Amino acid sequence: MQSLTIDFNNIGQLRLVIQNYMYSENCAYQRMKAQAEDGFKYYDNQDRVKETGAAYVNEVNSFLKQIGKSPLHSANNKISMNRHRVVVDQKIGYLFSTPPQFDLPADDTENGDDMTLKTVKDTIGAQWPKVVKQLGTDASNAGRAWLTYWRDNDTGKFDYWFVNPLTCIPIYDRSTVKKRLLYLLRAYAYNDNNGKPVTRYEVWSDTQVAYLIKPEERGGVKAIINFEVLPDGSWNIQPHDYDRIPFIEFRNNAHADNDLIMYKDIIDALDKLVSGFANDCDDIQEVIWVLKNYNGEKEVPVYDKDGKQVLDADGAPVMRPVDVPQMMKLKKFVTVDENGGVDKIQNEIPYEARQAFRDILNDEFWTAAMAVNPNPPTAGNQSGVYIDYLYGLLELKSGLMETEFRSSIDEFLRAILHYLGADETKQFIQTWKRTKPQNNTETATILSTLPETVMSDETKTKNAPFVTDWQAERAQIEKEQKQKTQDIFDQWPQPGEKKPQEKGKPQK
């Protein structure tokens, strides 16, 4: 299969590529966009129940109003349970509260690896924890996240940040089994030099980028994508020396699916159940009255906003039909003839059935979400085995994300090495540390009993429960050990010196 080749000077081909990969009805981007928009909505506590409610109350009320009826109060609570944000933040906190750390193998220090590692870390800077957390959140909601990097035009320094995943459309090389990013389209809202809103497109390859503009449609005139024009009149097509497309994809899992699809139906059912229960609690205060042989008022006068009775052209009072339920709510009584009567029907809440259904949905939710139930059957000072059991599904889900993120982080590190002019073949060691409750005494005991022939001191430090930055801890340990050695050494005389006199003993 021959791979796609884009001529960056061919505006017709660029328009066709943008149309096929971004706007075609069944293209991969449109499917990803629909899934991502759901993920971000549910993360912002805008579940589907916010649009539909627990039942079709709005439709019923609208119909009654259209036929001139004033219905009894019908509650329409729309309660979003915010479950999606809970499980996403749980995973992100589990994986990235301590962000991934980088190291180089310790067997090649003579070739300047220590200085290379320090330079790489200085280049990454202090923004890495924030960026990697946002990448994890975007990937969980949209299925994939994107990081971009660049060289600052003023300072020449390397910089990077996350970008909205809805703005990036990858085009992969399908000619090989191992997918490679061939081109990347980026589209976003933009104000041109005149302040007019436009859609700006970027088409990236590993050697150049083209910038295109599509004006906002006005007056029914169809807008056309054209090259962005520079002040000198030339097309804005720029070469670059990144040696690769400066955008890196971070996938949530191998299929780039978001987390929501695993449990969206259960969330919708829980939202409807709770919203419906709230509706019943409100509506139980309303009573449906059954009137028998009603012989009361059929019409009542119409009054204006000042309380004056409205008259027709002949001076007769203007009358309107009585809304019996509304009148009963206002007057709190009704008159009937000798053959009439009034019965009432009051709503009852099937609490037990709702509670049983909620328990079923709640149990199924935590399994489908592969998350940790915050209200487990037992709590307290549990063993490490029990804690690992509670976190088992979350660990499986997190491991799938870690696998995808590891390769993307490696690509990011290679981009930094390219910027530094260093050897891009260097293999970094990534250290990922989970954040979860643990039995610290149990963990510390296990680490202290393991001999050096089984586990190195460095690995013990990495896994120590109270250590957050193992590299800094190892440096401090080495510093303290050197100081202790020096203190012992200072207690004994050097060649040609006398041994320090002990207290209470005469000097010989």
Side-chain angles (χ1 to χ4, degrees):
M1 182 186 296
Q2 188 175 2
S3 60
L4 172 68
T5 302
I6 297 178
D7 180 0
F8 275 57
N9 294 289
N10 187 338
I11 187 63
Q13 185 189 23
L14 290 174
R15 289 171 181 163
L16 187 61
V17 168
I18 292 172
Q19 173 64 34
N20 291 340
Y21 281 90
M22 187 173 180
Y23 295 113
S24 295
E25 184 177 353
N26 295 320
C27 65
Y29 172 74
Q30 289 297 327
R31 294 193 298 270
M32 185 279 292
K33 181 182 177 182
Q35 188 181 109
E37 287 176 342
D38 276 348
F40 287 122
K41 282 182 180 179
Y42 276 65
Y43 187 76
D44 291 335
N45 202 24
Q46 296 296 317
D47 296 2
R48 187 169 179 268
V49 73
K50 296 286 190 181
E51 301 173 1
T52 63
Y56 294 98
V57 177
N58 289 338
E59 286 77 0
V60 173
N61 288 347
S62 297
F63 171 74
L64 292 173
K65 290 178 181 178
Q66 289 174 5
I67 62 176
K69 299 293 184 180
S70 179
L72 284 169
H73 171 70
S74 296
N76 190 16
N77 292 286
K78 299 178 179 180
I79 302 174
S80 179
M81 301 296 291
N82 206 19
R83 290 289 185 99
H84 176 56
R85 185 163 195 150
V86 170
V87 298
V88 169
D89 287 352
Q90 185 184 89
K91 182 178 76 171
I92 301 307
Y94 183 63
L95 275 174
F96 301 118
S97 289
T98 301
Q101 299 180 24
F102 321 113
D103 194 11
L104 285 169
D107 56 355
D108 199 21
T109 55
E110 295 181 359
N111 291 336
D113 275 6
D114 288 343
M115 183 55 65
T116 299
L117 180 61
K118 182 181 183 303
T119 307
V120 168
K121 289 185 175 182
D122 290 343
T123 304
I124 291 174
Q127 64 189 15
W128 172 244
K130 177 179 176 62
V131 170
V132 76
K133 282 183 182 179
Q134 188 61 46
L135 290 172
T137 301
D138 286 347
S140 299
N141 286 320
R144 64 187 74 195
W146 288 91
L147 178 144
T148 184
Y149 55 89
W150 64 93
R151 187 181 296 107
D152 189 274
N153 292 330
D154 297 327
T155 64
K157 292 183 178 180
F158 183 92
D159 206 354
Y160 63 96
W161 202 247
F162 52 85
V163 295
N164 185 344
L166 291 174
T167 65
C168 296
I169 304 96
I171 300 176
Y172 295 104
D173 183 1
R174 302 290 181 177
S175 63
T176 62
V177 176
K178 185 179 179 180
K179 291 194 303 183
R180 180 178 67 89
L181 186 60
L182 192 61
Y183 299 101
L184 183 125
L185 307 179
R186 187 166 176 240
Y188 50 91
Y190 180 77
N191 288 336
D192 62 14
N193 293 331
N194 298 320
K196 294 181 179 180
V198 299
T199 300
R200 194 185 197 202
Y201 301 91
E202 300 175 6
V203 184
W204 288 85
S205 73
D206 56 2
T207 59
Q208 59 185 329
V209 54
Y211 297 93
L212 302 97
I213 291 292
K214 180 181 179 183
E216 193 177 52
E217 295 186 7
R218 292 182 179 180
V221 179
K222 187 176 181 180
I224 300 176
I225 299 174
N226 280 306
F227 283 112
E228 185 177 64
V229 180
L230 297 174
D232 61 2
S234 62
W235 294 337
N236 193 0
I237 303 175
Q238 304 292 333
H240 66 77
D241 58 355
Y242 296 118
D243 198 38
R244 50 178 61 81
I245 297 174
F247 289 82
I248 301 175
E249 181 185 36
F250 287 74
R251 290 194 166 201
N252 188 41
N253 47 53
H255 298 287
D257 291 327
N258 70 0
D259 287 347
L260 182 63
I261 62 172
M262 298 189 294
Y263 47 81
K264 181 176 181 292
D265 292 342
I266 298 178
I267 287 181
D268 290 341
L270 277 166
D271 288 345
K272 284 186 176 182
L273 179 68
V274 175
S275 299
F277 187 45
N279 290 344
D280 286 348
C281 290
D282 287 344
D283 288 339
I284 198 172
Q285 304 174 49
E286 302 294 331
V287 176
I288 298 176
W289 299 93
V290 179
L291 308 180
K292 300 177 181 178
N293 297 323
Y294 176 71
N295 196 28
E297 298 172 293
K298 297 295 191 299
E299 292 182 330
V300 294
V302 176
Y303 298 90
D304 61 18
K305 63 180 181 179
D306 297 324
K308 296 180 179 180
Q309 190 172 352
V310 179
L311 305 177
D312 61 16
D314 299 328
V318 176
M319 308 295 288
R320 65 174 176 81
V322 172
D323 189 327
V324 179
Q326 188 180 57
M327 182 192 67
M328 293 171 63
K329 292 174 67 177
L330 292 173
K331 293 185 175 182
K332 306 302 181 184
F333 70 89
V334 64
T335 60
V336 296
D337 60 18
E338 65 276 7
N339 296 318
V342 181
D343 293 337
K344 68 178 181 179
I345 301 175
Q346 196 165 7
N347 190 21
E348 294 183 0
I349 302 176
Y351 175 78
E352 291 77 10
R354 289 179 185 270
Q355 182 62 36
F357 185 42
R358 184 182 182 281
D359 290 342
I360 293 173
L361 290 175
N362 191 62
D363 290 341
E364 293 299 324
F365 171 78
W366 297 110
T367 302
M370 301 180 71
V372 179
N373 186 346
N375 297 306
T378 58
N381 188 21
Q382 301 295 336
S383 68
V385 175
Y386 179 71
I387 295 172
D388 289 341
Y389 167 75
L390 289 179
Y391 279 74
L393 289 176
L394 177 60
E395 176 59 36
L396 288 175
K397 182 173 65 173
S398 300
L400 296 175
M401 173 179 273
E402 180 186 333
T403 300
E404 300 298 322
F405 271 47
R406 277 182 174 272
S407 59
S408 298
I409 291 174
D410 281 339
E411 185 177 348
F412 176 53
L413 294 171
R414 284 194 294 272
I416 295 175
L417 291 174
H418 177 77
Y419 161 76
L420 296 174
D423 181 9
E424 296 182 36
T425 63
K426 288 184 179 295
Q427 296 296 316
F428 284 84
I429 299 172
Q430 298 182 31
T431 301
W432 292 63
K433 191 168 184 177
R434 306 294 195 255
T435 303
K436 67 178 179 180
Q438 57 182 331
N439 191 317
N440 293 330
T441 302
E442 185 178 274
T443 304
T445 301
I446 293 173
L447 292 175
S448 64
T449 56
L450 289 173
E452 296 179 356
T453 56
V454 175
M455 182 179 290
S456 67
D457 289 340
E458 182 174 296
T459 303
K460 291 179 182 179
T461 305
K462 289 180 181 179
N463 292 278
F466 302 109
V467 175
T468 55
D469 188 340
W470 70 267
Q471 291 168 323
E473 187 66 24
R474 289 305 310 170
Q476 181 65 25
I477 290 173
E478 292 176 4
K479 179 181 178 181
E480 291 179 0
Q481 287 179 339
K482 288 181 179 179
Q483 185 61 47
K484 289 178 181 179
T485 303
Q486 185 64 41
D487 290 344
I488 295 173
F489 184 76
D490 291 342
Q491 292 179 4
W492 297 95
Q494 298 300 312
E497 295 182 359
K498 295 182 179 180
K499 182 178 178 181
Q501 181 180 355
E502 297 181 14
K503 292 184 180 180
K505 293 185 178 181
Q507 183 72 37
K508 296 182 179 179

